[in-house]
Amino acid sequence: MVMISNESPIDLLSEDVLHLARELIGYELHTFIHGRHCSGIISETEAYAGVHDRASHAWGGRRTERTKVMYKKGGIAYVYFTYGMHYLFNIVTGPEEVPHAILIRAIWPQIGLEIMQQRRKNKPFQLLANGPAKLCQAMGIDLQQNGVEIGSSIIWLGRKHVIEPANIIAGPRVGVDYAGEDALLPYRFVWVNPSL
DNA sequence: TATAAGATTTACT
DNA sequence: GTAAATCTTATAT
């Protein structure tokens, strides 16, 4: 019943969070939460480069109850609550004590469309998971998944879909104007689907 | 202790 | 285009 794929060749312990953020585009993201299996292809990511990145929650080495999970070894989930109502899902990367994380900003739903639609108040397909908080709502992700291993029976990566490198564009991150010059860094990666 | 703003989304004017 | 939803963290009294 529960399918597990631990064959992902991606190295989440790498310190090159920028490379990983680009590499994650095209991977299937699966969840098995509340008895429901959902998946989608990752189509948008943002890299947050630890203590040297003003836009990161771990900037300057900040370590709080919320951010402590980022300091663990790469390959786990960092889920946090924001704006008083939304959950955002990140994948922690890098070795222990290096608080890198990659925000998953959008996926293309594949498995469990009906479930996602229910969780998303019957929104149309295109609006199911095209934003970081929408994706969490559709997949059923909340604080219970914080710190969960990527590759467990709860959250795992599936196979990687082949995407033309030319269809992945980099640009500045969203909603980080407070980060000064770091807000301009091209740490955001978007898969532009030419068939749209 | 109080206030402000946030890695956002939605509904309404 | 603007506002409201209202939890966590940081900064200022």
CSV table of all heavy atoms in Angstrom, one decimal, chain B:
chain,number,residue,atom,x,y,z
B,1,DT,P,5.1,40.7,32.7
B,1,DT,OP1,4.2,39.5,32.6
B,1,DT,OP2,5.8,41.3,33.6
B,1,DT,O5',4.9,41.6,31.4
B,1,DT,C5',4.1,42.8,31.7
B,1,DT,C4',4.2,43.8,30.5
B,1,DT,O4',5.5,43.8,29.9
B,1,DT,C3',3.2,43.5,29.4
B,1,DT,O3',2.5,44.8,29.2
B,1,DT,C2',4.1,43.2,28.2
B,1,DT,C1',5.4,43.9,28.5
B,1,DT,N1,6.6,43.3,27.9
B,1,DT,C2,7.4,44.1,27.1
B,1,DT,O2,7.1,45.3,26.8
B,1,DT,N3,8.5,43.5,26.6
B,1,DT,C4,8.9,42.2,26.8
B,1,DT,O4,9.9,41.7,26.3
B,1,DT,C5,8.0,41.4,27.7
B,1,DT,C7,8.3,40.0,28.0
B,1,DT,C6,6.9,42.0,28.2
B,2,DA,P,1.2,44.9,28.2
B,2,DA,OP1,0.3,45.8,28.8
B,2,DA,OP2,0.8,43.5,27.9
B,2,DA,O5',1.9,45.5,26.9
B,2,DA,C5',2.5,46.8,27.0
B,2,DA,C4',3.1,47.2,25.7
B,2,DA,O4',4.3,46.4,25.4
B,2,DA,C3',2.2,46.9,24.5
B,2,DA,O3',2.2,48.1,23.6
B,2,DA,C2',2.8,45.7,23.8
B,2,DA,C1',4.2,45.9,24.1
B,2,DA,N9,5.0,44.6,24.1
B,2,DA,C8,4.7,43.4,24.7
B,2,DA,N7,5.6,42.5,24.5
B,2,DA,C5,6.6,43.1,23.7
B,2,DA,C6,7.8,42.7,23.1
B,2,DA,N6,8.3,41.5,23.3
B,2,DA,N1,8.5,43.6,22.4
B,2,DA,C2,8.0,44.8,22.2
B,2,DA,N3,6.9,45.3,22.7
B,2,DA,C4,6.2,44.4,23.4
B,3,DT,P,1.0,48.4,22.6
B,3,DT,OP1,0.6,49.8,22.8
B,3,DT,OP2,0.1,47.3,22.5
B,3,DT,O5',1.9,48.4,21.2
B,3,DT,C5',3.1,49.1,21.2
B,3,DT,C4',4.0,48.5,20.0
B,3,DT,O4',4.6,47.2,20.4
B,3,DT,C3',3.2,48.2,18.7
B,3,DT,O3',3.9,48.9,17.7
B,3,DT,C2',3.3,46.7,18.6
B,3,DT,C1',4.6,46.4,19.3
B,3,DT,N1,4.8,45.0,19.7
B,3,DT,C2,6.0,44.4,19.4
B,3,DT,O2,6.9,44.9,18.8
B,3,DT,N3,6.0,43.1,19.9
B,3,DT,C4,5.1,42.4,20.6
B,3,DT,O4,5.3,41.2,20.9
B,3,DT,C5,3.9,43.1,20.9
B,3,DT,C7,2.8,42.4,21.6
B,3,DT,C6,3.8,44.4,20.4
B,4,DA,P,3.0,49.2,16.3
B,4,DA,OP1,2.9,50.7,16.1
B,4,DA,OP2,1.8,48.4,16.3
B,4,DA,O5',4.1,48.6,15.2
B,4,DA,C5',5.5,48.7,15.5
B,4,DA,C4',6.2,47.7,14.7
B,4,DA,O4',6.2,46.4,15.4
B,4,DA,C3',5.5,47.4,13.3
B,4,DA,O3',6.5,47.3,12.3
B,4,DA,C2',4.8,46.1,13.5
B,4,DA,C1',5.8,45.4,14.5
B,4,DA,N9,5.2,44.3,15.3
B,4,DA,C8,3.9,44.3,15.9
B,4,DA,N7,3.7,43.2,16.6
B,4,DA,C5,4.8,42.5,16.5
B,4,DA,C6,5.2,41.2,17.0
B,4,DA,N6,4.4,40.4,17.7
B,4,DA,N1,6.4,40.7,16.6
B,4,DA,C2,7.2,41.5,15.9
B,4,DA,N3,7.0,42.7,15.4
B,4,DA,C4,5.8,43.1,15.7
B,5,DA,P,6.1,47.6,10.8
B,5,DA,OP1,6.9,48.7,10.2
B,5,DA,OP2,4.6,47.6,10.7
B,5,DA,O5',6.6,46.2,10.1
B,5,DA,C5',7.9,45.8,10.5
B,5,DA,C4',7.9,44.3,10.2
B,5,DA,O4',7.3,43.6,11.3
B,5,DA,C3',7.2,43.9,8.9
B,5,DA,O3',8.1,43.1,8.2
B,5,DA,C2',6.0,43.1,9.4
B,5,DA,C1',6.5,42.5,10.7
B,5,DA,N9,5.5,42.1,11.6
B,5,DA,C8,4.3,42.7,11.9
B,5,DA,N7,3.5,42.1,12.7
B,5,DA,C5,4.3,41.0,13.1
B,5,DA,C6,4.1,40.0,14.0
B,5,DA,N6,3.0,39.9,14.8
B,5,DA,N1,5.1,39.0,14.2
B,5,DA,C2,6.2,39.2,13.4
B,5,DA,N3,6.5,40.1,12.5
B,5,DA,C4,5.5,41.0,12.4
B,6,DG,P,7.8,42.7,6.6
B,6,DG,OP1,8.8,43.2,5.8
B,6,DG,OP2,6.4,42.9,6.3
B,6,DG,O5',8.0,41.1,6.7
B,6,DG,C5',9.1,40.6,7.4
B,6,DG,C4',8.9,39.2,7.8
B,6,DG,O4',7.9,39.1,8.8
B,6,DG,C3',8.3,38.3,6.7
B,6,DG,O3',8.8,37.0,6.9
B,6,DG,C2',6.8,38.3,6.9
B,6,DG,C1',6.8,38.2,8.4
B,6,DG,N9,5.6,38.7,9.0
B,6,DG,C8,4.9,39.8,8.7
B,6,DG,N7,3.8,40.0,9.4
B,6,DG,C5,3.8,38.8,10.2
B,6,DG,C6,2.8,38.4,11.2
B,6,DG,O6,1.8,39.0,11.6
B,6,DG,N1,3.2,37.2,11.8
B,6,DG,C2,4.3,36.5,11.5
B,6,DG,N2,4.5,35.4,12.1
B,6,DG,N3,5.2,36.9,10.6
B,6,DG,C4,4.9,38.0,10.0
B,7,DA,P,10.0,36.3,6.3
B,7,DA,OP1,10.4,35.3,7.3
B,7,DA,OP2,11.0,37.3,5.8
B,7,DA,O5',9.5,35.4,5.0
B,7,DA,C5',9.2,36.1,3.7
B,7,DA,C4',9.0,35.0,2.7
B,7,DA,O4',10.2,34.2,2.6
B,7,DA,C3',7.9,34.0,3.0
B,7,DA,O3',7.4,33.5,1.7
B,7,DA,C2',8.6,32.9,3.8
B,7,DA,C1',9.9,32.8,3.0
B,7,DA,N9,11.0,32.4,3.9
B,7,DA,C8,11.7,33.2,4.8
B,7,DA,N7,12.6,32.5,5.4
B,7,DA,C5,12.5,31.2,5.0
B,7,DA,C6,13.2,30.0,5.3
B,7,DA,N6,14.2,30.0,6.1
B,7,DA,N1,12.8,28.9,4.6
B,7,DA,C2,11.8,29.0,3.8
B,7,DA,N3,11.1,30.1,3.4
B,7,DA,C4,11.5,31.1,4.0
B,8,DT,P,6.2,34.4,1.0
B,8,DT,OP1,5.9,33.7,-0.2
B,8,DT,OP2,6.5,35.8,1.1
B,8,DT,O5',5.0,34.1,2.0
B,8,DT,C5',4.5,32.7,2.2
B,8,DT,C4',3.0,32.7,2.1
B,8,DT,O4',2.4,33.7,2.9
B,8,DT,C3',2.4,32.8,0.7
B,8,DT,O3',1.8,31.6,0.4
B,8,DT,C2',1.4,34.0,0.9
B,8,DT,C1',1.2,34.1,2.4
B,8,DT,N1,0.8,35.4,2.8
B,8,DT,C2,-0.3,35.5,3.6
B,8,DT,O2,-1.0,34.6,3.9
B,8,DT,N3,-0.6,36.8,4.1
B,8,DT,C4,0.2,37.9,3.8
B,8,DT,O4,-0.2,39.0,4.3
B,8,DT,C5,1.4,37.7,3.0
B,8,DT,C7,2.3,38.9,2.7
B,8,DT,C6,1.6,36.5,2.6
B,9,DT,P,1.1,31.4,-1.0
B,9,DT,OP1,1.2,29.9,-1.3
B,9,DT,OP2,1.6,32.4,-2.0
B,9,DT,O5',-0.5,31.6,-0.7
B,9,DT,C5',-1.1,30.8,0.2
B,9,DT,C4',-2.5,31.4,0.6
B,9,DT,O4',-2.3,32.7,1.1
B,9,DT,C3',-3.4,31.5,-0.6
B,9,DT,O3',-4.6,30.7,-0.2
B,9,DT,C2',-3.8,33.0,-0.7
B,9,DT,C1',-3.4,33.5,0.7
B,9,DT,N1,-3.0,34.9,0.9
B,9,DT,C2,-3.7,35.7,1.7
B,9,DT,O2,-4.6,35.3,2.4
B,9,DT,N3,-3.3,37.0,1.8
B,9,DT,C4,-2.2,37.5,1.1
B,9,DT,O4,-1.9,38.7,1.3
B,9,DT,C5,-1.6,36.6,0.2
B,9,DT,C7,-0.4,37.1,-0.6
B,9,DT,C6,-2.0,35.4,0.1
B,10,DT,P,-5.7,30.4,-1.4
B,10,DT,OP1,-6.2,29.1,-1.1
B,10,DT,OP2,-5.2,30.8,-2.7
B,10,DT,O5',-6.8,31.4,-0.9
B,10,DT,C5',-7.3,31.4,0.4
B,10,DT,C4',-8.2,32.6,0.7
B,10,DT,O4',-7.4,33.8,0.8
B,10,DT,C3',-9.2,32.9,-0.4
B,10,DT,O3',-10.5,32.7,0.1
B,10,DT,C2',-9.0,34.3,-0.9
B,10,DT,C1',-8.1,34.9,0.2
B,10,DT,N1,-7.1,35.9,-0.2
B,10,DT,C2,-7.0,37.1,0.5
B,10,DT,O2,-7.8,37.4,1.4
B,10,DT,N3,-6.1,37.9,0.0
B,10,DT,C4,-5.2,37.7,-1.0
B,10,DT,O4,-4.4,38.6,-1.4
B,10,DT,C5,-5.3,36.5,-1.7
B,10,DT,C7,-4.4,36.1,-2.8
B,10,DT,C6,-6.2,35.6,-1.2
B,11,DA,P,-11.8,32.8,-0.8
B,11,DA,OP1,-12.7,31.7,-0.4
B,11,DA,OP2,-11.4,33.0,-2.2
B,11,DA,O5',-12.4,34.2,-0.3
B,11,DA,C5',-12.4,34.6,1.0
B,11,DA,C4',-12.8,36.0,1.2
B,11,DA,O4',-11.7,36.9,0.8
B,11,DA,C3',-14.0,36.5,0.2
B,11,DA,O3',-14.8,37.3,0.9
B,11,DA,C2',-13.2,37.1,-0.9
B,11,DA,C1',-12.1,37.8,-0.2
B,11,DA,N9,-10.9,38.0,-1.0
B,11,DA,C8,-10.4,37.3,-2.0
B,11,DA,N7,-9.3,37.8,-2.6
B,11,DA,C5,-9.1,39.0,-2.0
B,11,DA,C6,-8.2,40.0,-2.1
B,11,DA,N6,-7.2,39.9,-3.0
B,11,DA,N1,-8.3,41.0,-1.3
B,11,DA,C2,-9.2,41.1,-0.4
B,11,DA,N3,-10.2,40.2,-0.1
B,11,DA,C4,-10.1,39.1,-1.0
B,12,DC,P,-16.3,37.8,0.3
B,12,DC,OP1,-17.3,37.2,1.1
B,12,DC,OP2,-16.2,37.5,-1.2
B,12,DC,O5',-16.3,39.3,0.4
B,12,DC,C5',-15.5,40.0,1.4
B,12,DC,C4',-15.0,41.3,0.9
B,12,DC,O4',-13.8,41.1,0.1
B,12,DC,C3',-15.9,42.1,0.0
B,12,DC,O3',-16.1,43.4,0.4
B,12,DC,C2',-15.3,42.0,-1.4
B,12,DC,C1',-13.8,42.0,-1.0
B,12,DC,N1,-12.9,41.5,-2.0
B,12,DC,C2,-11.8,42.3,-2.4
B,12,DC,O2,-11.5,43.3,-1.7
B,12,DC,N3,-11.0,41.8,-3.4
B,12,DC,C4,-11.2,40.7,-4.0
B,12,DC,N4,-10.4,40.3,-5.0
B,12,DC,C5,-12.4,39.9,-3.7
B,12,DC,C6,-13.2,40.4,-2.7
B,13,DT,P,-17.4,44.3,-0.1
B,13,DT,OP1,-18.3,44.6,1.0
B,13,DT,OP2,-18.0,43.6,-1.3
B,13,DT,O5',-16.7,45.6,-0.6
B,13,DT,C5',-15.6,46.1,0.2
B,13,DT,C4',-14.8,47.2,-0.6
B,13,DT,O4',-13.9,46.5,-1.5
B,13,DT,C3',-15.7,48.1,-1.5
B,13,DT,O3',-15.2,49.4,-1.4
B,13,DT,C2',-15.4,47.5,-2.9
B,13,DT,C1',-14.0,47.0,-2.8
B,13,DT,N1,-13.6,46.0,-3.8
B,13,DT,C2,-12.5,46.2,-4.5
B,13,DT,O2,-11.8,47.1,-4.4
B,13,DT,N3,-12.3,45.1,-5.4
B,13,DT,C4,-13.0,44.0,-5.6
B,13,DT,O4,-12.7,43.2,-6.4
B,13,DT,C5,-14.2,43.9,-4.8
B,13,DT,C7,-15.1,42.7,-4.9
B,13,DT,C6,-14.4,44.9,-3.9
